[in-house]
Structure formats: structure tokens, C-alpha cells
Amino acid sequence: MASPRLETFCCPNRDASTEFVITFQPLFFSAICIGSAGLSLIFSILQLLPKRRGYRRLGQYPLPKPASSSRILFIISICDILGCTGIIMRSSIWLGMPNLVRGINVANNSDVWPEVFCVGSAMWIQLFFSASFWWTFCYAVDVFLVVRRSAGISTIILYHMITWGLAVLLCVEGVAMLYYPSISSCENGLQHAIPHYITTYAPLLLVLIVNPTLFARTVSAVTSLLKGRQGIYTENERRLGTEIKIRFFKIMLVFFICWLPNIINESLLFYLEMQTDIKAGDLKNIRNVALITWFIMGILNPMSGFLNTLAFHGWTGFKVDCSLQKRRELAWDSASTSAANVGGYNPIVGSTLLYQSHVQEAKNMTGKNMTGNGQPASDAISVLSEGSESSTIEIHISTEHRDYEEIDADGESLGSSARH
């Protein structure tokens, strides 16, 4: 699990609240963390692996290149996987090497390895989960900028600079303030630890507060864009708009479920820390709730990686494709950079790809026709298709049972509408 209490525990003169939660059934808690992180790690990797699916001929419709949004979702999953790896490593050593853990409690200990393990594992977990928060924020910004036609292929470089730069900067700054003047003799009191908690929870609170607003504005803009594309709002446009809302809702639902317990737990521990005696009888209920949320964090924080992949791509199945065939489009909104052959066969990818293909065909035929708002129709459409020059919103809609003639008919109807 990801909590600033992990770094605070590395100080021999840690506060009473940190001592209370971390030393309560530590072996059982570590076992829970290993189980949750292990399951999340396995299923997250399984979700990202290419799958064997049936083949569907797309005919004349080419596969577009991936957008920055698909890369962001992939990077978020990688950060979650690396964070789970840190949790497994820390909890495994906690279970298997109790002598090393006991060395953390000794002030002025000549053996530096307990402190190295404590600080290193805690910073590893904080860094990658913090990066995952920043990337989640960048995803919301990206999809909003896409519909505003303000994002380009070079934007991903800026996202890398922002996310990794801020994650490393805040992590190092918070830890440096916490361990001043040294790990073995940290300053007493709550004041010196506050900057560390702020740098840990700032990106988390940013996503919880700002992302819903950005997603809501994006949905509103996409709805207007779909209506303005042909002047009508058909069932296809309505279904696509609904899928956008569902995807954003699932992303935020997973985030709230997995990380809101951290906010609750930290608030309770801060309240306990301000009391003269945290073991007082009138604080029993608060202590119990703090312990309950602490164990919930141990389960849900690591599971965020797997749950995110479900929110991003849906369940992709167990049939892993181990072949080395190139130009294979993945079933979970591929992150491959190669374009498929126009006349070749490709795996089933859902109605996003098919819709994008129809839109791409319509865009090629409309040329420089103008939309009602005075902008080129191709520009208005390109934000929903995976063009090579812009990032996009990708929606996964399962269409394995859709009739092939209906797909071709939709493509012809879009083309004829564009010509008129």
C-alpha cells in the first residue's frame, strides 16, 4: 500500500500514530499486501498482453496510429505494476527477514541496511504511485485538449517532463524534509512531517478534485462535436457519447474506491497524533476506524493497477497470443506504432476502431467541406479518430456479434452523408 507513514516509520523516533498502525499485526498486514499486490500484478500484466482473437476483415478502412491517450493509459498501468512490485518486495522482506525490520527501531544503529531497505522501498512505492496519479491527471487534460483541438503528437513529451519531474521532485523534497537532519535522528513533532504528507497527497487530491471537472467538460464538448459533425445526432453518435461517459465514470470510480481510504485514514491518524494520549478510552472508536481503513488500504491500493486496466480496456481474457507476428493490433486498444496493411486481416478490436475507420473514410472524402461553426469537417472529425497528428479519446465497445454488412452499410452511409 502507498502511505507516507511508510517513510515516517523509518525514523526511530517516529510519532505514536505511525507506531500504532504499522506495528498492529504487521505480519498479517504484510501477508494481505503480498496477496493483493500479487494478484494485481499478475492480472495487470495479463490484461496488457496481446490476446488471440478471431479475425475480421476491415477491407478498405486503414488502422490509424495510436494516440497519446492510449500511451498514457499504458504508462499508468506500468507505474501501477512497478508500485505493486515495490509493495511485494517490502512486504516479503518484512515477513522473511524480521531481524532486518527490528533494526529500523534502533537509534544510531551501526548497520545501515535496515534504514536503506526502509527508505528505499518506501520511496519506490511512493514514486511510482505518485507518477500514476500525475499520469491520470495528464490523461484528463489530454482528452480535454483533444476535443479543443489543442493537443498534438508532441504533447506526450511535455507529459513525460511534467509527470516524472514532479513525481521525483516532490518525492525527494518530502523525504529530505522528513529525515532532516538525518534518518537516525529525525526531528520530533508534527511540523517537520507536514511537507512530506503534502507532497504525497497533492497529486492524489488533484485527481480527485480536478479530473471529474475535466471529464465532465470533455463529455459536453464531445457531445457538441458529434452533433455538429453532420448536423444530426443519430444512434451511433449517442452510443459513442454514452461510452465516453461510461469510461470516464469507471476511471473515477476505481480511483475513488482505491484511494479515498487513504484520505480518511490519514485524517484520523492526524487527529490521533494531536491528542496527548492516543490510547485514551474515548478514542477507541477512532483507533478502530483507523485500523480498519489501514487494512482496507493494504487491499485496495495494490488492486488499483488491475482495476485500472478493467476501467481502461475491459476484461481482455486469458487467451494470450505468444506469437511474434508483427503489426498485430491488440484487443485492448493497441499501443503499437505500426499501421496494419489495408487489405490484411486484423483481430477484433471493438467498435472504436470500426467507427474510427468509417470516420477516417468520411474525412478523406469530405476534403475541405466546412462544418457549421466554420471549421473544416476533417478537423472536427479527427479528434474522434486516431490520426497521426493528434491524440484521441479511445472508447472500447464490444462488438464481437455485430453483423458485418451493418458495418459496411454504416461506412457507406457516412461517406454518402459527407458527399452531400
Side-chain angles (χ1 to χ4, degrees):
M1 43 86 65
S3 171
R5 300 289 169 173
L6 297 179
E7 288 94 343
T8 307
F9 182 76
C10 300
C11 294
N13 56 337
R14 65 189 71 92
D15 59 88
S17 297
T18 301
E19 181 77 16
F20 168 67
V21 292
I22 292 188
T23 58
F24 181 82
Q25 298 293 336
L27 298 183
F28 179 62
F29 180 77
S30 298
I32 289 178
C33 290
I34 291 177
S36 179
L39 288 175
S40 179
L41 181 66
I42 293 172
F43 282 103
S44 296
I45 295 176
L46 180 65
Q47 282 280 92
L48 299 181
L49 291 176
K51 304 298 189 302
R52 292 196 302 269
R53 294 292 182 94
Y55 289 92
R56 175 178 297 174
R57 186 176 184 85
L58 296 181
Q60 60 181 336
Y61 307 118
L63 289 178
K65 293 183 179 180
S68 61
S69 57
S70 65
R71 303 181 205 176
I72 292 174
L73 297 181
F74 180 75
I75 294 173
I76 292 174
S77 298
I78 294 299
C79 290
D80 291 335
I81 289 174
L82 292 174
C84 287
T85 303
I87 293 176
I88 294 174
M89 176 186 64
R90 180 185 179 90
S91 300
S92 299
I93 294 180
W94 198 289
L95 285 174
M97 304 179 66
N99 293 331
L100 184 65
V101 177
R102 281 193 292 267
I104 302 174
N105 299 323
V106 179
N108 299 320
N109 188 7
S110 59
D111 188 4
V112 298
W113 288 112
E115 295 176 350
V116 170
F117 154 71
C118 185
V119 176
S121 60
M123 289 186 65
W124 175 282
I125 296 171
Q126 179 189 343
L127 174 64
F128 285 107
F129 279 116
S130 178
S132 177
F133 300 155
W134 285 114
W135 278 110
T136 303
F137 171 71
C138 286
Y139 175 75
V141 172
D142 183 70
V143 295
F144 177 74
L145 292 180
V146 164
V147 296
R148 297 295 181 182
R149 304 170 184 84
S150 302
I153 196 66
S154 61
T155 312
I156 191 68
I157 301 176
L158 179 61
Y159 293 154
H160 276 287
M161 296 173 61
I162 293 175
T163 54
W164 296 114
L166 288 176
V168 173
L169 177 63
L170 294 179
C171 181
V172 173
E173 180 182 2
V175 169
M177 294 290 292
L178 178 66
Y179 297 141
Y180 178 83
S182 67
I183 299 178
S184 59
S185 59
C186 303
E187 288 187 0
N188 292 319
L190 184 62
Q191 292 77 11
H192 82 284
I194 289 180
H196 172 58
Y197 294 119
I198 292 176
T199 56
T200 301
Y201 284 109
L204 174 60
L205 292 173
L206 183 68
V207 175
L208 289 175
I209 297 173
V210 179
N211 275 35
T213 303
L214 290 175
F215 283 153
R217 297 190 63 180
T218 300
V219 169
S220 177
V222 168
T223 302
S224 301
L225 191 67
L226 290 173
K227 290 180 179 179
R229 186 170 58 85
Q230 298 187 64
I232 57 176
Y233 196 53
T234 65
E235 183 62 28
N236 287 334
E237 280 78 11
R238 185 177 294 105
R239 184 173 63 251
L240 185 60
T242 301
E243 289 299 326
I244 293 174
K245 294 178 184 178
I246 292 175
R247 161 171 278 197
F248 291 164
F249 174 76
K250 289 190 295 185
I251 291 175
M252 291 310 304
L253 179 64
V254 168
F255 199 89
F256 270 89
I257 290 176
C258 292
W259 298 106
L260 190 59
N262 293 56
I263 305 296
I264 298 174
N265 178 264
E266 199 62 52
S267 301
L268 295 174
L269 292 181
F270 261 106
Y271 178 78
L272 290 175
E273 199 166 335
M274 290 185 293
Q275 308 304 312
T276 56
D277 182 14
I278 68 171
K279 296 182 179 181
D282 57 339
L283 299 176
K284 180 180 179 180
N285 292 334
I286 296 179
R287 292 197 302 270
N288 291 337
V289 175
L291 290 176
I292 291 173
T293 54
W294 179 258
F295 278 83
I296 291 176
M297 290 164 56
I299 298 173
L300 293 181
N301 285 180
M303 287 301 297
S304 64
F306 171 56
L307 295 178
N308 274 336
T309 62
L310 291 179
F312 297 157
H313 318 298
W315 174 245
T316 61
F318 292 100
K319 298 180 180 179
V320 178
D321 187 358
C322 299
S323 66
L324 298 178
Q325 180 180 355
K326 294 183 178 180
R327 297 174 182 249
R328 174 70 60 88
E329 182 72 16
L330 305 183
W332 50 266
D333 295 336
S334 172
S336 170
T337 56
S338 61
N341 292 330
V342 172
Y345 286 89
N346 296 280
I348 298 173
V349 294
S351 69
T352 297
L353 176 59
L354 300 174
Y355 187 84
Q356 290 168 348
S357 299
H358 297 327
V359 172
Q360 184 70 28
E361 177 70 12
K363 182 178 70 173
N364 294 335
M365 299 180 66
T366 54
K368 296 185 177 180
N369 291 342
M370 307 297 289
T371 60
N373 59 5
Q375 293 183 347
S378 60
D379 291 343
I381 294 173
S382 65
V383 297
L384 297 177
S385 63
E386 290 206 353
S388 60
E389 296 297 325
S390 66
S391 56
T392 62
I393 306 166
E394 299 166 329
I395 311 300
H396 179 80
I397 311 172
S398 177
T399 57
E400 297 184 6
H401 302 291
R402 180 172 295 182
D403 184 66
Y404 300 162
E405 286 95 357
E406 181 183 353
I407 297 172
D408 293 335
D410 290 343
E412 292 175 1
S413 64
L414 279 176
S416 61
S417 299
R419 284 193 294 269
H420 295 294

